Amino acid sequence: MSRKDLARSLRLIVVTDRRLVEQDELVAVVRSALDAGAPCVQLRNKGDSPGELLAMGRELRSLTREAGALLIVNDRLDVALALEADGVHVGPGDLPVSAVRSACPGDFVVGRSADDPEVAYRAMRDGADYIGCGTVYPTNTKPDAGSTIGLEGLRRVVEAVEIPVVGIGGITEERAADVVATGAAGIAVVGAVMGAADPAAAVRALLTPFHPRDE
Amino acid sequence: MSRKDLARSLRLIVVTDRRLVEQDELVAVVRSALDAGAPCVQLRNKGDSPGELLAMGRELRSLTREAGALLIVNDRLDVALALEADGVHVGPGDLPVSAVRSACPGDFVVGRSADDPEVAYRAMRDGADYIGCGTVYPTNTKPDAGSTIGLEGLRRVVEAVEIPVVGIGGITEERAADVVATGAAGIAVVGAVMGAADPAAAVRALLTPFHPRDE
């Protein structure tokens, strides 16, 4: 995938969370999000066994493939490989980027969480294709995410690397434009789509700040 | 690896358990076990993060390679791939054997836990190279291992498949010969080596029942 295509696919990452919706409903929410134009889904159901991740992942793989969207799997490279997903996202505590890179196909998309410019730079140097950066705003969906870094913290990471940076953490429809204004390539959301009354409308609203760029 | 070489390597699997020994000591225990002739080590530190597994695994990879022993990683195929381990062992809840097979190199050794002849047969059919079968005797090191199947249960699994079966669960030096007499290719132990006052002596004693076969 070209860097431009990747950045385009990373405009909005819809992250799954089974704590926010029922298992059956989750697939329906993702389908609505894809129909509304979400270009990327990240499978992140904390606490699920690899077998459960694989079962859910198969449904998401089929939906994302149909929609021409990326499927990224959180943490488990092996689940990502078994699903023929497009990539994997790792954080501190997960496999290091260099280890992931050595164990996956060359065209695999590898994302790395980093809220610090130096960590982000090292991840890029080790072969990461994009940075997930946050927590930008306070959030309840990832209580272990550490302290918030704000728009300024996000901007510092954007400036430190030459790969796409995706802001994450408490990003809502109202805040999306501010996040994009930092130079971030995209935004990742959990609650803003998983917890939305109308997931399709939420996706359209979250994509709005990107429209001028697309023209 | 030929089936005969694999069976020979599976005579004794030393399974790691960080709950039984300190991190530093674990490496020393494994080194003693390898020096005493243990042909296979399984990295299974429940609760460790992938990053921690990788760090420990690197030490074990270097030791096992030097000793000409196999290194198998429990559950995490991605960690196994990153370590260039020889194989991975999966159980129910982990990735299915067919998914592992599709995501790993052809010469990777894939083990599957099964205490039931039908499950074992299906695993073999899906591409497993060996079966880990137990719990043979009651044990404290894997409280979630389910009910014990005894020597009779083990024998039923041995008879159901044409791949090596390794008995696991509460196997001690005194019980090793009985386990081998069922036709099992080998035994896997956690406490009998990790918790031993003299791990090398324990390994030698556990290997004793195999000596007539080796001649």
Side-chain angles (χ1 to χ4, degrees), chain B residues 7-75:
Chain B
R8 213 183 132 74
S9 292
L10 296 175
R11 283 173 302 151
L12 177 61
I13 304 179
V14 174
V15 182
T16 68
D17 190 335
R18 276 219 300 123
R19 291 167 304 186
L20 295 182
V21 288
E22 297 295 321
Q23 172 111 14
D24 297 347
E25 208 192 325
L26 195 148
V27 175
V29 169
V30 169
R31 186 182 283 120
S32 301
L34 291 168
D35 285 348
C40 184
V41 173
Q42 186 194 127
L43 174 61
R44 185 182 85 185
N45 291 345
K46 289 274 174 194
D48 276 13
S49 71
E52 289 169 323
L53 284 174
L54 191 69
M56 171 60 71
R58 280 183 174 140
E59 298 204 56
L60 301 188
R61 174 70 291 188
S62 139
L63 290 176
T64 47
R65 194 167 268 154
E66 221 171 281
L70 296 187
L71 177 64
I72 306 278
V73 176
N74 189 58
D75 173 18

Coordinates of all heavy atoms in Angstrom, one line a residue, chain B residues 7-75:
Chain B
A7 N 9.7 -37.5 18.1 CA 9.3 -38.3 19.2 C 10.4 -38.3 20.2 O 10.2 -38.3 21.5 CB 8.9 -39.7 18.8
R8 N 11.6 -38.4 19.7 CA 12.8 -38.4 20.7 C 12.9 -37.1 21.4 O 13.2 -37.1 22.6 CB 14.1 -38.7 19.8 CG 15.1 -39.5 20.6 CD 16.4 -39.6 19.8 NE 17.5 -39.3 20.7 CZ 18.0 -40.1 21.7 NH1 17.4 -41.3 21.9 NH2 19.0 -39.7 22.4
S9 N 12.6 -36.0 20.7 CA 12.7 -34.7 21.4 C 11.6 -34.5 22.4 O 11.6 -33.6 23.2 CB 12.7 -33.6 20.3 OG 13.8 -33.6 19.6
L10 N 10.5 -35.3 22.2 CA 9.3 -35.1 23.1 C 9.3 -36.0 24.3 O 8.4 -36.0 25.0 CB 8.0 -35.2 22.3 CG 7.8 -34.2 21.1 CD1 6.6 -34.6 20.3 CD2 7.7 -32.8 21.7
R11 N 10.4 -36.8 24.4 CA 10.4 -37.7 25.6 C 10.2 -36.9 26.9 O 9.5 -37.4 27.8 CB 11.8 -38.4 25.7 CG 12.0 -39.5 24.7 CD 13.4 -40.0 24.7 NE 14.3 -38.9 24.4 CZ 15.6 -38.8 24.8 NH1 16.1 -39.7 25.6 NH2 16.3 -37.8 24.5
L12 N 10.8 -35.7 27.0 CA 10.6 -34.9 28.2 C 10.5 -33.5 27.8 O 11.4 -32.9 27.3 CB 11.8 -35.1 29.1 CG 11.8 -34.3 30.4 CD1 10.5 -34.6 31.3 CD2 13.0 -34.5 31.3
I13 N 9.4 -32.9 28.1 CA 9.2 -31.4 27.9 C 9.2 -30.8 29.3 O 8.4 -31.0 30.2 CB 7.8 -31.1 27.2 CG1 7.7 -31.9 25.9 CG2 7.7 -29.6 27.0 CD1 6.4 -31.7 25.2
V14 N 10.2 -29.9 29.5 CA 10.3 -29.1 30.7 C 9.5 -27.8 30.5 O 9.9 -27.0 29.7 CB 11.7 -28.8 31.1 CG1 11.8 -27.9 32.3 CG2 12.5 -30.1 31.3
V15 N 8.4 -27.7 31.2 CA 7.5 -26.5 31.1 C 7.9 -25.5 32.1 O 8.0 -25.9 33.3 CB 6.0 -27.0 31.2 CG1 5.1 -25.8 31.0 CG2 5.7 -28.1 30.2
T16 N 8.1 -24.3 31.7 CA 8.5 -23.2 32.6 C 7.2 -22.7 33.4 O 6.1 -22.7 32.9 CB 9.2 -22.0 32.0 OG1 8.2 -21.4 31.1 CG2 10.3 -22.5 31.1
D17 N 7.5 -22.3 34.6 CA 6.4 -21.7 35.4 C 7.0 -20.7 36.3 O 7.6 -21.1 37.3 CB 5.6 -22.7 36.1 CG 4.3 -22.2 36.8 OD1 4.3 -21.0 37.0 OD2 3.4 -23.0 37.0
R18 N 6.8 -19.4 36.1 CA 7.4 -18.4 36.9 C 6.8 -18.3 38.3 O 7.3 -17.6 39.1 CB 7.3 -17.0 36.2 CG 8.4 -16.8 35.2 CD 8.9 -15.4 35.2 NE 7.9 -14.4 34.9 CZ 7.5 -13.4 35.6 NH1 8.1 -13.2 36.8 NH2 6.6 -12.6 35.3
R19 N 5.7 -19.0 38.5 CA 5.1 -18.9 39.8 C 5.9 -19.9 40.8 O 5.8 -19.7 42.0 CB 3.6 -19.4 39.8 CG 2.7 -18.3 39.1 CD 1.4 -18.9 38.8 NE 1.5 -20.1 38.0 CZ 0.5 -20.8 37.5 NH1 -0.7 -20.4 37.7 NH2 0.7 -21.9 36.7
L20 N 6.6 -20.8 40.2 CA 7.4 -21.8 41.0 C 8.8 -21.3 41.3 O 9.4 -21.8 42.3 CB 7.4 -23.1 40.3 CG 6.0 -23.8 40.2 CD1 6.1 -25.2 39.6 CD2 5.3 -23.9 41.6
V21 N 9.4 -20.5 40.4 CA 10.8 -20.1 40.6 C 10.9 -18.6 40.3 O 10.1 -18.1 39.5 CB 11.8 -20.9 39.8 CG1 12.0 -22.3 40.3 CG2 11.4 -20.9 38.3
E22 N 11.9 -18.0 40.9 CA 12.1 -16.6 40.5 C 12.6 -16.5 39.1 O 13.2 -17.4 38.5 CB 13.2 -16.0 41.4 CG 12.9 -16.0 42.9 CD 11.7 -15.0 43.2 OE1 11.7 -13.9 42.6 OE2 10.8 -15.3 44.0
Q23 N 12.4 -15.3 38.5 CA 12.8 -15.1 37.1 C 14.2 -15.5 36.8 O 14.5 -16.2 35.9 CB 12.6 -13.6 36.8 CG 13.1 -13.2 35.4 CD 12.0 -12.8 34.4 OE1 10.8 -12.7 34.8 NE2 12.3 -12.7 33.2
D24 N 15.2 -15.0 37.7 CA 16.6 -15.3 37.4 C 16.9 -16.8 37.6 O 17.6 -17.3 36.8 CB 17.5 -14.5 38.5 CG 17.3 -13.0 38.3 OD1 16.8 -12.6 37.3 OD2 17.7 -12.3 39.3
E25 N 16.2 -17.3 38.6 CA 16.4 -18.7 38.9 C 15.9 -19.6 37.7 O 16.5 -20.7 37.5 CB 15.7 -19.1 40.2 CG 16.3 -20.2 41.0 CD 15.4 -20.7 42.1 OE1 14.7 -19.8 42.7 OE2 15.4 -21.9 42.3
L26 N 14.9 -19.2 37.1 CA 14.3 -20.0 36.0 C 15.3 -20.3 34.9 O 15.3 -21.5 34.5 CB 13.1 -19.2 35.4 CG 12.1 -20.1 34.6 CD1 10.7 -19.5 34.7 CD2 12.5 -20.1 33.1
V27 N 16.0 -19.3 34.6 CA 17.0 -19.6 33.5 C 18.1 -20.6 34.0 O 18.5 -21.5 33.3 CB 17.7 -18.3 33.1 CG1 18.9 -18.5 32.1 CG2 16.7 -17.3 32.5
A28 N 18.5 -20.5 35.3 CA 19.4 -21.4 35.8 C 18.8 -22.9 35.9 O 19.5 -23.8 35.6 CB 19.8 -21.0 37.2
V29 N 17.6 -23.0 36.2 CA 16.9 -24.3 36.3 C 16.9 -24.9 34.9 O 17.2 -26.1 34.7 CB 15.5 -24.1 36.9 CG1 14.7 -25.4 36.7 CG2 15.5 -23.8 38.3
V30 N 16.5 -24.1 33.9 CA 16.5 -24.6 32.5 C 17.8 -25.0 32.1 O 18.0 -26.1 31.4 CB 15.8 -23.5 31.6 CG1 16.0 -24.0 30.1 CG2 14.4 -23.3 31.9
R31 N 18.8 -24.2 32.4 CA 20.2 -24.6 32.0 C 20.6 -26.0 32.6 O 21.1 -26.8 31.9 CB 21.2 -23.5 32.4 CG 22.6 -23.8 31.9 CD 23.6 -22.7 32.4 NE 23.5 -21.5 31.6 CZ 23.2 -20.3 32.1 NH1 23.0 -20.2 33.4 NH2 23.1 -19.2 31.3
S32 N 20.3 -26.2 33.9 CA 20.6 -27.5 34.5 C 19.8 -28.6 33.8 O 20.4 -29.7 33.6 CB 20.2 -27.4 36.0 OG 20.9 -26.4 36.7
A33 N 18.6 -28.3 33.5 CA 17.7 -29.4 32.9 C 18.3 -29.7 31.5 O 18.4 -30.9 31.2 CB 16.3 -28.9 32.8
L34 N 18.7 -28.8 30.8 CA 19.3 -29.0 29.5 C 20.6 -29.8 29.6 O 20.9 -30.7 28.8 CB 19.5 -27.7 28.7 CG 18.2 -27.0 28.2 CD1 18.5 -25.6 27.8 CD2 17.5 -27.8 27.1
D35 N 21.5 -29.4 30.5 CA 22.7 -30.1 30.8 C 22.5 -31.5 31.1 O 23.3 -32.4 30.7 CB 23.5 -29.4 31.9 CG 24.1 -28.1 31.5 OD1 24.1 -27.8 30.3 OD2 24.5 -27.3 32.4
A36 N 21.4 -31.8 31.8 CA 21.1 -33.2 32.2 C 20.4 -34.0 31.1 O 20.1 -35.1 31.2 CB 20.2 -33.2 33.4
G37 N 20.2 -33.3 29.9 CA 19.7 -34.1 28.8 C 18.2 -33.8 28.4 O 17.7 -34.5 27.5
A38 N 17.6 -32.8 29.0 CA 16.2 -32.5 28.7 C 16.2 -32.1 27.2 O 16.9 -31.2 26.8 CB 15.6 -31.4 29.5
P39 N 15.4 -32.8 26.4 CA 15.4 -32.5 24.9 C 14.4 -31.4 24.5 O 14.4 -31.1 23.3 CB 15.0 -33.9 24.3 CG 14.1 -34.5 25.4 CD 14.5 -33.9 26.7
C40 N 13.6 -30.9 25.4 CA 12.6 -29.9 24.9 C 12.2 -29.0 26.1 O 12.0 -29.5 27.2 CB 11.3 -30.7 24.4 SG 10.1 -29.6 23.7
V41 N 12.0 -27.7 25.8 CA 11.6 -26.8 26.8 C 10.3 -26.1 26.3 O 10.3 -25.7 25.1 CB 12.7 -25.7 27.1 CG1 12.1 -24.6 28.0 CG2 13.9 -26.4 27.7
Q42 N 9.3 -26.0 27.1 CA 8.1 -25.2 26.7 C 8.1 -23.9 27.6 O 8.0 -24.0 28.8 CB 6.8 -26.0 26.9 CG 5.7 -25.2 26.3 CD 4.3 -25.7 26.7 OE1 3.4 -25.0 27.2 NE2 4.1 -27.0 26.5
L43 N 8.0 -22.8 26.9 CA 7.9 -21.5 27.6 C 6.4 -21.2 27.9 O 5.6 -21.0 27.0 CB 8.5 -20.4 26.7 CG 8.3 -18.9 27.2 CD1 9.0 -18.7 28.5 CD2 8.8 -17.9 26.1
R44 N 6.1 -21.3 29.1 CA 4.7 -21.1 29.5 C 4.6 -20.3 30.8 O 4.5 -20.9 31.9 CB 3.9 -22.4 29.7 CG 2.5 -22.2 30.0 CD 1.7 -23.5 30.2 NE 1.8 -24.0 31.6 CZ 1.3 -25.2 32.0 NH1 0.8 -26.0 31.2 NH2 1.4 -25.5 33.3
N45 N 4.8 -19.0 30.7 CA 4.7 -18.2 31.9 C 3.4 -17.5 31.9 O 3.3 -16.3 31.4 CB 5.9 -17.2 32.0 CG 7.2 -17.9 32.2 OD1 7.3 -19.1 32.7 ND2 8.3 -17.2 32.0
K46 N 2.4 -18.1 32.4 CA 1.1 -17.5 32.5 C 1.1 -16.1 33.1 O 1.7 -16.0 34.1 CB 0.1 -18.4 33.3 CG -0.2 -19.7 32.6 CD -1.4 -19.6 31.6 CE -1.6 -20.9 30.8 NZ -2.5 -20.7 29.7
G47 N 0.4 -15.2 32.5 CA 0.3 -13.9 33.1 C 1.4 -12.9 32.6 O 1.2 -11.7 32.8
D48 N 2.4 -13.5 32.0 CA 3.4 -12.6 31.4 C 2.9 -11.9 30.2 O 2.2 -12.5 29.4 CB 4.7 -13.4 31.1 CG 5.6 -13.6 32.3 OD1 5.1 -13.3 33.4 OD2 6.8 -14.0 32.1
S49 N 3.4 -10.6 30.0 CA 3.0 -9.9 28.8 C 3.9 -10.5 27.6 O 4.9 -11.1 27.9 CB 3.3 -8.4 28.9 OG 4.7 -8.2 28.9
P50 N 3.4 -10.3 26.4 CA 4.2 -10.7 25.2 C 5.7 -10.2 25.3 O 6.6 -11.0 25.0 CB 3.5 -10.2 24.0 CG 2.1 -9.9 24.5 CD 2.2 -9.6 26.0
G51 N 5.8 -9.0 25.8 CA 7.2 -8.4 25.9 C 8.0 -9.2 26.9 O 9.2 -9.5 26.6
E52 N 7.4 -9.6 28.0 CA 8.1 -10.3 29.0 C 8.4 -11.7 28.5 O 9.5 -12.3 28.7 CB 7.3 -10.4 30.3 CG 7.2 -9.1 31.1 CD 6.2 -9.1 32.2 OE1 5.1 -9.7 32.0 OE2 6.4 -8.5 33.2
L53 N 7.5 -12.3 27.8 CA 7.7 -13.7 27.2 C 8.9 -13.6 26.3 O 9.7 -14.5 26.2 CB 6.4 -14.1 26.5 CG 5.3 -14.6 27.3 CD1 4.1 -14.9 26.4 CD2 5.7 -15.9 28.1
L54 N 8.9 -12.6 25.5 CA 9.9 -12.5 24.5 C 11.3 -12.4 25.1 O 12.3 -13.0 24.7 CB 9.7 -11.2 23.6 CG 10.5 -11.1 22.3 CD1 10.2 -12.2 21.3 CD2 10.4 -9.8 21.7
A55 N 11.4 -11.5 26.2 CA 12.7 -11.4 26.9 C 13.1 -12.7 27.5 O 14.3 -13.1 27.3 CB 12.5 -10.3 28.0
M56 N 12.3 -13.4 28.2 CA 12.6 -14.7 28.7 C 12.9 -15.7 27.6 O 13.9 -16.5 27.7 CB 11.5 -15.2 29.6 CG 11.6 -16.6 30.1 SD 13.1 -16.8 31.1 CE 12.6 -15.9 32.6
G57 N 12.1 -15.6 26.6 CA 12.2 -16.6 25.5 C 13.6 -16.4 24.8 O 14.1 -17.4 24.3
R58 N 14.1 -15.2 24.7 CA 15.4 -15.0 24.1 C 16.5 -15.8 24.8 O 17.4 -16.4 24.2 CB 15.7 -13.6 23.9 CG 14.9 -12.9 22.8 CD 15.3 -11.5 22.6 NE 14.6 -11.0 21.4 CZ 14.1 -9.8 21.3 NH1 14.1 -8.9 22.3 NH2 13.5 -9.4 20.1
E59 N 16.4 -15.7 26.1 CA 17.4 -16.5 26.9 C 17.2 -18.0 26.7 O 18.2 -18.7 26.5 CB 17.3 -16.2 28.4 CG 17.5 -14.7 28.7 CD 17.9 -14.4 30.1 OE1 18.9 -15.1 30.5 OE2 17.2 -13.7 30.8
L60 N 16.0 -18.4 26.7 CA 15.8 -19.9 26.5 C 16.1 -20.3 25.1 O 16.6 -21.4 24.9 CB 14.3 -20.2 26.8 CG 13.8 -19.8 28.3 CD1 12.4 -20.4 28.5 CD2 14.8 -20.4 29.3
R61 N 15.9 -19.4 24.1 CA 16.2 -19.8 22.7 C 17.7 -20.0 22.6 O 18.1 -21.0 22.0 CB 15.7 -18.7 21.8 CG 16.1 -18.9 20.3 CD 15.4 -20.0 19.6 NE 15.8 -21.4 20.0 CZ 15.4 -22.5 19.4 NH1 14.6 -22.4 18.3 NH2 15.8 -23.7 19.8
S62 N 18.5 -19.2 23.2 CA 19.9 -19.3 23.1 C 20.4 -20.6 23.8 O 21.2 -21.4 23.3 CB 20.6 -18.0 23.7 OG 21.7 -18.3 24.4
L63 N 19.8 -20.9 25.0 CA 20.2 -22.1 25.8 C 19.8 -23.4 25.0 O 20.6 -24.3 24.9 CB 19.6 -22.1 27.1 CG 20.1 -21.1 28.2 CD1 19.3 -21.2 29.4 CD2 21.5 -21.3 28.5
T64 N 18.6 -23.4 24.5 CA 18.1 -24.6 23.9 C 18.8 -24.8 22.6 O 19.2 -26.0 22.2 CB 16.6 -24.5 23.6 OG1 16.3 -23.3 22.9 CG2 15.8 -24.7 24.8
R65 N 19.1 -23.8 21.9 CA 19.9 -23.9 20.6 C 21.2 -24.5 20.9 O 21.6 -25.5 20.2 CB 20.0 -22.6 19.9 CG 20.4 -22.6 18.5 CD 20.2 -21.3 17.8 NE 18.9 -21.2 17.1 CZ 18.3 -20.0 16.9 NH1 18.8 -18.9 17.3 NH2 17.1 -20.0 16.3
E66 N 21.9 -24.0 21.9 CA 23.2 -24.5 22.3 C 23.2 -26.0 22.6 O 24.1 -26.8 22.3 CB 23.7 -23.7 23.5 CG 25.1 -23.3 23.5 CD 25.4 -22.4 24.7 OE1 25.0 -21.2 24.5 OE2 25.8 -22.8 25.7
A67 N 22.1 -26.4 23.3 CA 21.9 -27.8 23.8 C 21.4 -28.7 22.7 O 21.2 -29.9 22.9 CB 21.0 -27.8 25.0
G68 N 20.9 -28.1 21.6 CA 20.3 -29.0 20.6 C 18.9 -29.4 21.0 O 18.4 -30.5 20.5
A69 N 18.3 -28.6 21.9 CA 16.9 -29.0 22.3 C 15.9 -28.1 21.6 O 16.2 -27.1 21.1 CB 16.9 -28.8 23.9
L70 N 14.7 -28.6 21.7 CA 13.6 -27.8 21.1 C 13.1 -26.8 22.0 O 13.1 -27.0 23.2 CB 12.4 -28.7 20.8 CG 12.5 -29.8 19.7 CD1 11.1 -30.5 19.5 CD2 13.1 -29.3 18.4
L71 N 12.6 -25.7 21.4 CA 11.9 -24.6 22.2 C 10.5 -24.5 21.7 O 10.3 -24.2 20.5 CB 12.6 -23.3 22.2 CG 11.9 -22.2 22.9 CD1 11.8 -22.4 24.4 CD2 12.6 -20.8 22.7
I72 N 9.5 -24.8 22.5 CA 8.1 -24.6 22.1 C 7.5 -23.5 23.0 O 7.8 -23.4 24.2 CB 7.4 -25.9 22.5 CG1 8.0 -27.2 21.9 CG2 5.9 -25.8 22.1 CD1 7.7 -27.4 20.4
V73 N 6.7 -22.7 22.4 CA 6.1 -21.6 23.1 C 4.6 -21.9 23.3 O 3.9 -22.3 22.4 CB 6.3 -20.2 22.4 CG1 5.5 -19.1 23.1 CG2 7.7 -19.9 22.2
N74 N 4.1 -21.7 24.5 CA 2.7 -21.9 24.8 C 1.9 -20.8 24.3 O 2.2 -19.6 24.4 CB 2.5 -22.0 26.3 CG 1.1 -22.5 26.7 OD1 0.7 -23.6 26.3 ND2 0.4 -21.6 27.4
D75 N 0.8 -21.2 23.6 CA -0.3 -20.3 23.1 C 0.2 -19.3 22.1 O -0.4 -19.2 21.0 CB -0.9 -19.6 24.3 CG -1.9 -18.5 23.9 OD1 -2.3 -18.5 22.8 OD2 -2.2 -17.6 24.8

